[in-house]
Amino acid sequence: MRPLRTTIHPDLSPEQTSNGRIFFRRAARGIILDNDNILLLYTEKYQDYTLPGGGIDEGESLHQGLIRELQEETGATNIRNIRDFGLYREYRPWYKDEYDALHMESYCYLCDIDKELGEARLEDYEQNNGMSAVWVNIYQAIAHNEKILAKGNKKAMSVERETYLLKLIARELLETETKAVSQG
C-alpha cells in the first residue's frame, strides 16, 4: 500500500520513537463516498469527524478488520469493492506507563456499501463519547475539523490525521473526478 504520511507528535523525542518502548497498533479505516458526501463518525465528546474503522484484532486480516469495524461503528451492510487508498503512520504519546509511545499504522481503503445503514453496535466507551455515523459533506467536515485543530485540543490527537486524510480524499478523488467530467 502506498505510504501517505508519517507524523511524530512533538512531545516525543527521536529516541522514544526508535529505541523506546513502543505499543504497535494496526487499524483499518473506510472511505465511503456518495458524491461530495462521505460516511464519517461524529464524536460529541471531541466534536470531531473521523473515518470509520479501528484496530485489527489478533488473527484478523486488514480487510476482515475493516468490514467488522464498519459494521460495528456504522451499521454498514454489503461492504464490497475494497480498494487500497494509502497508509498513514503516526507516533504519539501513549497513556499506559509501560510504553513510551504508540506507533499506529492506519490502512485506508475505499469501499462501497449499501446506502441504508443498519444498527451500529458501538462499544461502551464509544457510546459514552457520543459517537454516531453520519453522512456529511466532505468540505464541511474538513472546515469543522480545522476549527478543532485551531483550538489546539491535545486530547483529539487523531483530528490531525483525519483532516489530512479528508483533504487528500477531496483532492485526489473528488476534485480529480470533477475535472475529468468538466473536460470530458
Side-chain angles (χ1 to χ4, degrees):
M1 184 173 289
R2 73 176 173 146
L4 299 174
R5 186 179 195 192
T6 299
T7 61
I8 300 173
H9 192 278
D11 291 347
L12 293 177
S13 69
E15 184 176 289
Q16 287 174 303
T17 60
S18 60
N19 301 323
R21 299 165 301 151
I22 298 173
F23 182 79
F24 178 72
R25 186 168 186 229
R26 290 185 324 151
R29 305 191 187 285
I31 302 166
I32 300 122
L33 296 168
D34 181 18
N35 297 312
D36 285 0
N37 293 321
I38 186 167
L39 181 61
L40 297 175
L41 298 171
Y42 180 77
T43 304
E44 187 65 38
K45 180 176 182 178
Y46 302 114
Q47 299 180 349
D48 63 354
Y49 289 104
T50 59
L51 292 171
I56 302 301
D57 290 342
E58 189 173 331
E60 261 184 339
S61 72
L62 288 165
H63 283 199
Q64 289 168 333
L66 173 69
I67 291 168
R68 177 186 49 76
E69 286 285 343
L70 290 175
Q71 290 170 338
E72 289 173 359
E73 292 182 345
T74 69
T77 58
N78 194 18
I79 300 159
R80 61 196 182 279
N81 198 18
I82 299 171
R83 291 117 37 222
D84 291 359
F85 183 73
L87 172 60
Y88 188 104
R89 291 184 175 98
E90 61 191 300
Y91 294 87
R92 58 187 192 197
W94 190 238
Y95 65 92
K96 295 184 179 179
D97 290 338
E98 62 268 21
Y99 297 102
D100 296 322
L102 165 68
H103 174 196
M104 170 83 80
E105 290 186 349
S106 293
Y107 294 82
C108 301
Y109 296 96
L110 290 156
C111 56
D112 300 319
I113 63 170
D114 288 351
K115 179 76 174 176
E116 185 82 22
L117 297 176
E119 187 73 28
R121 298 181 313 276
L122 299 172
E123 295 184 40
D124 288 342
Y125 80 92
E126 293 168 330
Q127 288 178 8
N128 293 338
N129 288 344
M131 183 182 283
S132 60
V134 293
W135 286 99
V136 62
N137 178 281
I138 193 168
Y139 300 103
Q140 291 174 349
I142 291 167
H144 179 88
N145 278 3
E146 286 178 332
K147 288 179 188 174
I148 299 300
L149 286 172
K151 292 179 184 177
N153 182 353
K154 283 191 168 188
K155 289 187 178 179
M157 291 182 286
S158 63
V159 178
E160 179 185 338
R161 175 191 66 227
E162 299 298 324
T163 306
Y164 174 85
L165 291 170
L166 289 171
K167 287 179 177 180
L168 188 63
I169 293 162
R171 185 171 60 247
E172 290 189 2
L173 301 177
L174 299 177
E175 293 165 15
T176 303
E177 187 177 296
T178 301
K179 285 180 189 174
V181 169
S182 66
Q183 293 173 355

